Amino acid sequence: MEYAKLGKSDLNVSRICLGMMSYGTSKWRDWVLDEEPSRPIIQRAIEMGINFFDTANMYSNGVSEEVTGRALKDFAKRDQVVLATKVFFPYTGWQGGLKRAQITQAIEDSLRRLGTDYVDLYQIHRWDYDTPIEETLEALHRLVQAGKVRYIGASSMFAYQFSKSLYLADLHDWTRFVSMQNHYNLVYREEEREMIPLCVEEGVGLIPWSPLARGFLAANRTPDRGGATTRAKSDAYAKDMYYADEDFKIVEQVQTLAEKKGAKPAQIALAWILHKPGVVAPIIGATKMYQLEDAVAASHIELSAEDMDHLEEFYVPHRVLGHS
């Protein structure tokens, strides 16, 4: 496993981040693994050198954090893993939002569920249009000062919003965001217009979510919005974002290159994003052991400039996706 610094922090993270949304309770989403079947995958991730784990308070209504905390306590030492969680979306028993009081309560709840005194990376899951960003930034800064959070990060928003956040943090001498968890993959590259250049310029590490387009780039989806997996059948969110004719053209390009290199389409899609400027660690989901092992193997696939051009050939502009 290769490692890299996350932005300007001192966090040394594996180049594959394991997304913990897939683990919690199947009562929340039918494709989510319950605790017991998730533990071997988490243990194997650690054995393979993955030290970066990303969850959120709203995943499985908090159960994902509980499962994550117990597994990491059993399979690793706390100072050997980088533990990230997120705050914003409401879930059962919590109203959501990024006001000072909401953040203060949310971190205490997350720490309790995770079974730890601090998180390495605390991220705002989306932009809160009902709360001044100054209030949010100051609240996050206080958590860093209190030692409950080591670094802060952000997730999908417009580049002007992220730029404003960085400016205000510098202006008030508050803690700066070190990472951006943005929606970015071969079939959604709008982030290349403004957000990614901004992050590269400012030294902010990119940890893209949905690098496989929620499984779409695994080449197991069909134009009739179907597919063989449980998630393919029930993930309405993915069907709203992908499945355009142009998206399937890109999948065909992925398949062609995969055959040429003796790899799987999902591995080629991951290799592509790992070759892109600013990307530190894409966040992958794995509900089967082979998916995890394929992802780690993908981090060693080399792509030439010609390979990259081949994969990007049929991309067309998309509407903004993933900010809501």
Side-chain angles (χ1 to χ4, degrees):
M1 176 60 63
E2 295 181 351
Y3 300 86
K5 291 292 184 182
L6 182 59
K8 293 181 178 179
S9 76
D10 70 352
L11 299 175
N12 202 36
V13 301
S14 51
R15 297 227 48 212
I16 297 292
C17 175
L18 185 60
M20 309 304 284
M21 183 169 67
S22 298
Y23 317 122
T25 172
S26 56
K27 295 178 181 178
W28 185 64
R29 301 284 190 275
D30 59 4
W31 45 265
V32 170
L33 294 184
D34 294 314
E35 183 165 9
E36 284 310 308
S38 75
R39 286 173 64 84
I41 296 177
I42 300 169
Q43 183 176 19
R44 180 62 176 146
I46 293 169
E47 291 171 351
M48 297 185 75
I50 292 176
N51 73 343
F52 193 12
F53 301 87
D54 175 77
T55 186
N57 61 354
M58 58 85 69
Y59 294 162
S60 288
N61 292 316
V63 178
S64 175
E65 287 185 325
E66 295 173 354
V67 169
T68 298
R70 285 191 289 264
L72 295 183
K73 182 178 180 180
D74 290 343
F75 301 137
K77 294 181 179 179
R78 179 65 185 88
D79 61 358
Q80 293 177 340
V81 297
V82 176
L83 180 54
T85 192
K86 301 184 286 293
V87 58
F88 170 68
F89 286 112
Y91 59 90
T92 303
W94 191 68
Q95 64 180 347
L98 296 177
K99 295 186 184 333
R100 182 179 297 105
Q102 293 164 336
I103 289 175
T104 301
Q105 182 61 53
I107 189 62
E108 295 298 335
D109 292 342
S110 288
L111 292 175
R112 172 178 50 80
R113 287 190 291 259
L114 289 164
T116 185
D117 296 328
Y118 68 96
V119 293
D120 299 285
L121 182 66
Y122 199 45
Q123 304 156 99
I124 58 171
H125 212 158
R126 291 295 185 274
W127 184 269
D128 186 353
Y129 286 91
D130 296 324
T131 303
I133 187 59
E134 292 89 344
E135 180 177 341
T136 298
L137 289 171
E138 185 176 16
L140 293 171
H141 177 65
R142 299 305 176 201
L143 296 184
V144 175
Q145 288 185 315
K148 297 178 181 180
V149 170
R150 292 184 65 194
Y151 295 97
I152 61 172
S155 190
S156 294
M157 61 181 65
F158 291 102
Y160 84 86
Q161 294 168 327
F162 194 52
S163 180
K164 179 180 179 181
S165 300
L166 296 174
Y167 165 74
L168 288 170
D170 291 345
L171 181 66
H172 295 282
D173 199 25
W174 292 331
T175 304
R176 216 172 192 257
F177 290 126
V178 300
S179 63
M180 165 52 63
Q181 185 175 149
N182 56 337
H183 178 209
Y184 185 42
N185 54 55
L186 260 170
V187 292
Y188 184 77
R189 293 170 48 206
E190 298 309 296
E191 296 289 289
E192 294 176 0
R193 301 183 188 281
E194 294 187 4
M195 180 61 80
I196 291 177
L198 170 64
C199 290
V200 170
E201 175 70 19
E202 293 294 324
V204 173
L206 297 172
I207 50 175
W209 60 267
S210 205
L212 297 181
R214 296 174 82 88
F216 184 82
L217 287 164
N220 57 17
R221 305 311 199 244
T222 57
D224 62 357
R225 295 178 179 263
T229 67
T230 299
R231 188 168 186 175
K233 296 172 182 176
S234 63
D235 191 355
Y237 189 52
K239 293 175 183 179
D240 182 57
M241 293 200 294
Y242 313 119
Y243 290 81
D245 291 343
E246 295 82 3
D247 298 338
F248 280 99
K249 287 184 179 179
I250 293 171
V251 173
E252 290 174 3
Q253 295 292 91
V254 173
Q255 289 177 297
T256 300
L257 187 60
E259 291 172 3
K260 177 182 176 182
K261 291 188 172 290
K264 295 180 180 179
Q267 292 179 303
I268 295 299
L270 273 179
W272 173 85
I273 204 167
L274 283 164
H275 280 69
K276 299 301 286 186
V279 173
V280 176
I283 300 171
I284 64 106
T287 55
K288 297 177 177 62
M289 194 67 75
Y290 80 84
Q291 294 170 336
L292 173 70
E293 295 175 344
D294 285 350
V296 173
S299 67
H300 302 293
I301 294 176
E302 293 293 333
L303 298 179
S304 66
E306 292 75 17
D307 292 334
M308 298 291 280
D309 289 342
H310 170 83
L311 294 170
E312 297 174 359
E313 181 178 359
F314 292 113
Y315 184 78
V316 298
H318 286 59
R319 61 187 173 89
V320 173
L321 297 168
H323 286 195
S324 60

